[in-house]
Amino acid sequence: MTDFEISADHLRWSRVAIPAEHGGWSLTLEPVLLGLLVAPSLAGMALGIAALLSFVARTPLKLAAVDRRRGRRLPRTTLAERVAAGELIALTFALGVATMASAHPFWMPLAFAAPLVAVAFSYDVRSRSRRLLPELAGTIGIAAVAASIALAGGRPASIAYGLWVVAAARALATIPFVRLQLERAKRGTAAIALGLGAQAVAVLLAGAAWVTSLVSVWGMTAVAGLAAAHLIFLRRPVPRTAIIGAQQVVLGLSLVLVTGLGALAP
């Protein structure tokens, strides 16, 4: 096999197996880190691995489903089916480990999140996954792992669901903001009403959760700080795409640390 053939095979495999949504890695790992920071456990680690596998498996599942819906059978179709099968088997094993390792029930948040994930996948099948609704639904759905990890680690439901609320607010504030920044970078201008509204909704969600004691003042402050940073960025020239991504990684990790430490405070 020539170097060209090896490169072509590697490129084909990477397109099938590796998600193209770079920001999705961060938005998937942040709830995992948040849950493990608040309630570290073997079951929680297994749930985190399952969440990562579910994010990765979405790409080959989407490709296989799209090809099947269009009635075509391409070389990538078989590869996508095999990759998806392997990842789903690994995901099932991780969930099994979590179930055996945890003495506490943790399935309820995942059950609540299932319809959101189903909505996102329904758009995947129709090749419309780049729209705002499926991006929000999928990200908020997978963020439920923060609550499940906390429950598996023995934390009370109020704290567990509070973590999910913060992770959901993070998604609500971030995804419209990043889409707006990319549009500004491409066209030079964009209507910022959606970005402003998204920040307001995220803060209102965190505020409502704080009033009902689901979220500590630390968690609410973290969401408010995230929204404030986004508003500041919207008033400045749009940086390169890599800088936008780096900014979001820093903001996301900061939110995880502030919220997690707040949940651990007496």
Side-chain angles (χ1 to χ4, degrees):
M1 183 179 292
T2 66
D3 291 342
F4 175 78
E5 290 173 327
I6 293 174
S7 298
D9 288 342
H10 176 74
L11 181 61
R12 187 183 302 114
W13 185 90
S14 64
R15 287 177 175 174
V16 168
I18 301 176
E21 304 90 345
H22 300 296
W25 290 96
S26 179
L27 290 172
T28 300
L29 288 172
E30 286 170 20
V32 173
L33 294 175
L34 181 56
L36 290 175
L37 177 61
V38 173
S41 68
L42 175 59
M45 292 180 63
L47 286 170
I49 293 172
L52 185 60
L53 285 169
S54 68
F55 169 68
V56 174
R58 181 180 174 183
T59 296
L61 280 173
K62 175 173 62 177
L63 292 175
V66 167
D67 288 347
R68 181 179 293 274
R69 181 173 179 271
R70 295 178 178 177
R72 64 190 185 189
R73 189 83 183 173
L74 304 174
R76 75 168 191 181
T77 310
T78 301
L79 179 60
E81 290 173 346
R82 291 175 179 174
V83 171
E87 290 170 344
L88 290 176
I89 290 172
L91 188 156
T92 302
F93 178 77
L95 290 176
V97 171
T99 301
M100 292 185 293
S102 177
H104 309 280
F106 59 80
W107 285 97
M108 194 60 71
L110 301 181
F112 289 149
L116 295 172
V117 175
V119 167
F121 188 69
S122 70
Y123 277 80
D124 286 345
V125 173
R126 292 175 289 165
S127 300
R128 298 177 180 177
S129 57
R130 295 291 189 177
R131 297 191 177 187
L132 179 59
L133 177 59
E135 286 189 349
L136 286 174
T139 304
I140 293 173
I142 204 168
V145 71
S148 289
I149 289 173
L151 291 173
R155 302 292 285 182
S158 58
I159 291 179
Y161 284 99
L163 300 183
W164 189 7
V165 169
V166 170
R170 154 72 163 157
L172 287 169
T174 300
I175 292 176
F177 166 78
V178 171
R179 289 169 65 94
L180 179 59
Q181 289 289 77
L182 295 177
E183 184 177 355
R184 290 176 66 204
K186 181 178 180 180
R187 301 181 180 179
T189 183
I192 64 172
L194 177 61
L196 297 176
Q199 309 317 305
V201 170
V203 173
L204 288 173
L205 176 62
W210 172 63
V211 169
T212 56
S213 300
L214 279 179
V215 173
S216 70
V217 68
W218 292 69
M220 181 181 175
T221 300
V223 173
L226 173 71
H230 286 167
L231 294 178
I232 292 172
F233 293 152
L234 287 175
R235 296 176 62 88
R236 296 179 176 178
V238 183
R240 299 193 312 273
T241 302
I243 300 300
I244 295 174
Q247 289 173 342
Q248 287 305 316
V249 170
V250 171
L251 289 172
L253 291 178
S254 299
L255 181 138
V256 166
L257 287 173
V258 172
T259 304
L261 293 176
L264 291 172

